[in-house]
Amino acid sequence: MAFDITPYIDMKPAEVRKLIREGVIDFPTAGMCRGYAQANLIILPPEYAADFEKFAELNPFPCPILEIIKGEQPLTYDMGEGGNICSDIPRYRIYRDGVWDGETLTDVTEYWKQGYVGFLIGCSFSFEEALMREGIEVRHIAQGRNVPMYKVGIQTVKAGPFEGPMVCSMRPMTPENAQTAYDITVKMPNVHGAPVHMGPAEGVGVADGGGEGSFHIDDFFEGFKEEWSYHGN
């Protein structure tokens, strides 16, 4: 699915959140709200929240926590006064016993319960503006697509029931631009920071066609293939 983020590049976050609530924006927000951080969202019932918080502490690179939301209302404060994590995200997936139920929703207000905990995790969309300022093309923004993401052969540190391989986003670029990207993103640990890997995707266990010990190149993919890849979380 291609989409045009041009009208939203310089909008304020509150304006974009309003358009999401109204159903105008129901696609990825890469490239929107230039100058502001973006976040990924995880909502958990109370019996899993403490384990996930520990998991994030043990894995700060893939899971940098920007804000934890608790209480009767699912509202943000640090990441945007009055933002609602149940209505201000373009699309939601619900997992039951670790399995996605196959449905994509645009509002999950009815599922929020007292005691539930929301975690806003730093998102790599946040550093793309800095890359483009240095003349580096961000391919998925240029093509109006979501960023490619892959399960890679790097394991996280287990905490309670939470474990498994990292899922890394990929931005194709030349080796020279990848080094520039490293120099920029290493200073941004709260939105995943420096690349996990620079070079052919096989270096982190991503191979077209898969095989034992590797992951298929189309894990979360809509778009393009390149030999040189810059992998950030």
Side-chain angles (χ1 to χ4, degrees):
M1 177 185 72
F3 43 83
D4 180 16
I5 57 92
T6 306
Y8 317 112
I9 291 173
D10 289 312
M11 277 191 176
K12 299 296 184 185
E15 296 174 304
V16 168
R17 291 197 299 269
K18 180 175 182 292
L19 292 175
I20 291 171
R21 286 195 299 272
E22 293 172 350
V24 176
I25 298 173
D26 65 350
F27 44 83
T29 56
M32 297 185 191
C33 300
R34 182 158 48 189
Y36 291 88
Q38 298 199 36
N40 301 299
L41 171 67
I42 299 163
I43 299 175
L44 293 168
E47 60 267 30
Y48 296 110
D51 281 334
F52 183 79
E53 188 169 356
K54 181 63 176 178
F55 178 78
E57 291 174 1
L58 294 173
N59 298 277
F61 192 49
C63 296
I65 292 178
L66 300 181
E67 183 174 358
I68 298 176
I69 297 94
K70 301 178 181 179
E72 184 175 347
Q73 300 296 322
L75 304 179
T76 61
Y77 297 94
D78 296 339
M79 286 297 291
E81 188 72 27
N84 188 319
I85 61 172
C86 290
S87 61
D88 296 358
I89 306 292
R91 290 184 181 272
Y92 301 84
R93 288 184 175 185
I94 295 177
Y95 288 77
R96 305 179 193 279
D97 299 319
V99 179
W100 177 40
D101 67 7
E103 188 175 8
T104 300
L105 305 174
T106 57
D107 190 299
V108 292
T109 301
E110 65 179 286
Y111 294 96
W112 181 263
K113 298 178 182 178
Q114 180 70 30
Y116 273 35
V117 181
F119 296 87
L120 289 175
I121 305 294
C123 177
S124 61
F125 288 173
S126 307
F127 59 60
E128 291 173 334
E129 175 196 353
L131 301 183
M132 291 188 291
R133 237 186 355 253
E134 292 300 315
I136 299 173
E137 180 190 60
V138 177
R139 186 71 57 83
H140 59 277
I141 292 179
Q143 293 188 349
R145 299 177 181 276
N146 197 14
V147 64
M149 293 168 280
Y150 308 101
K151 294 177 183 178
V152 302
I154 303 172
Q155 293 296 317
T156 56
V157 179
K158 177 180 170 63
F162 298 101
E163 61 180 323
M166 288 188 188
V167 173
C168 292
S169 56
M170 185 278 287
R171 293 159 179 83
M173 58 187 69
T174 65
E176 294 77 17
N177 281 345
Q179 183 58 54
T180 301
Y182 177 94
D183 295 339
I184 292 169
T185 58
V186 72
K187 302 170 186 175
M188 303 181 181
N190 288 339
V191 291
H192 297 309
V196 169
H197 170 71
M198 297 190 296
E202 290 84 353
V204 285
V206 179
D208 194 5
E212 186 176 354
S214 67
F215 297 89
H216 198 276
I217 201 158
D218 293 324
D219 285 328
F220 307 91
F221 185 70
E222 53 157 347
F224 43 82
K225 297 180 181 179
E226 292 285 338
E227 178 180 359
W228 280 95
S229 306
Y230 152 54
H231 289 260
N233 290 18

